[in-house]
Amino acid sequence: MGSATTQALAASTDALAAASGLTLGSAAELFAAARALGESSQLSGALADPTAPAQARTALVEGVFAGASAPVRALLTIVAGERWSSAAQLIDGVEELAIRTAAIASPKDDVASELFGFSRVVAANPEFELALGSRLGDAASKGALVEKVLGSSASAATVLIASALVRQPRERRVRQLLSRAIRIVSAQAGRTVATVHTAVPLAAAQQTRLRDALARRYGGEVSLNLVIDPAVVGGLRVQIADDVIDGSISARLADLRQKLAS
């Protein structure tokens, strides 16, 4: 992420935090805006053009998205007024605002956990993942398939996020899309996500101790996403963003084999 995008995203996120009247409908509008930008390189390029005056960029937003609700139009105007490192990162920024808005509109739902559960369903079903990720499939049909699979088992916010993302993957894999959404939803709630691979389920007390230890290490609340992985053999493998803490027996055995072979 370029420095310009970092600043633009921070300003856009601050504007989102200060906004009022945001609903799931607002999130859907922002997802639709991201799709419109992704489908028009001319539009996204014009809004990300650093040589164009900010006033011209915001006027373009006012014209193209005149039918959007006032809160969404205000957010898009702020996005357009910022400088982004590329058109692709501007689209990413609007998509992130959509995900955050869905989380804001559903404070009582555990959207991050539901998205993680859906990602495990995708990972366990290669044919389903292929159907969602194929370039040949119709975007609307992919979204409808997600809605059908999730049904009433997930919150409306989770269904909206997952179905909207598969409609416009932009060369990203489905699980990659979901992982990013989980991080964004957790960040909106002020939490860090730790994906924990273990050979057997962890007891509630074990989860609490691990969560507390990671919270001390990373300085904030931590959410655990547990993955039962027989390949771990024993111990734990914990991943937080790019950090990996591998205390699994399989890792120790691999290290031992490497030492014996050297």
Side-chain angles (χ1 to χ4, degrees), residues 51-103:
T51 65
Q55 185 176 2
R57 299 198 301 272
T58 55
L60 179 58
V61 163
E62 289 288 349
V64 172
F65 299 105
S69 62
V72 169
R73 210 164 53 247
L75 285 172
L76 291 174
T77 299
I78 290 170
V79 168
E82 297 295 325
R83 291 190 178 275
W84 300 82
S85 299
S86 68
Q89 291 182 7
L90 180 146
I91 299 170
D92 282 346
V94 175
E95 187 177 79
E96 177 165 337
L97 291 179
I99 295 170
R100 286 180 178 271
T101 299

Side-chain angles (χ1 to χ4, degrees), residues 12 18 83 85 96 106 120 122 136-137 182 191 227 248 258:
S12 300
R83 291 190 178 275
S85 299
E96 177 165 337
S106 308
R120 302 313 301 164
V122 172
L136 302 178
I182 292 166
R191 297 195 300 266
V227 179
S248 64
Q258 186 176 12

Side-chain angles (χ1 to χ4, degrees), residues 202-216 222 224 226:
L202 297 180
Q206 292 174 309
Q207 292 184 41
T208 298
R209 287 197 297 272
L210 176 59
R211 189 182 294 110
D212 291 345
L214 293 173
R216 288 193 297 271
V222 175
L224 301 182
L226 301 177

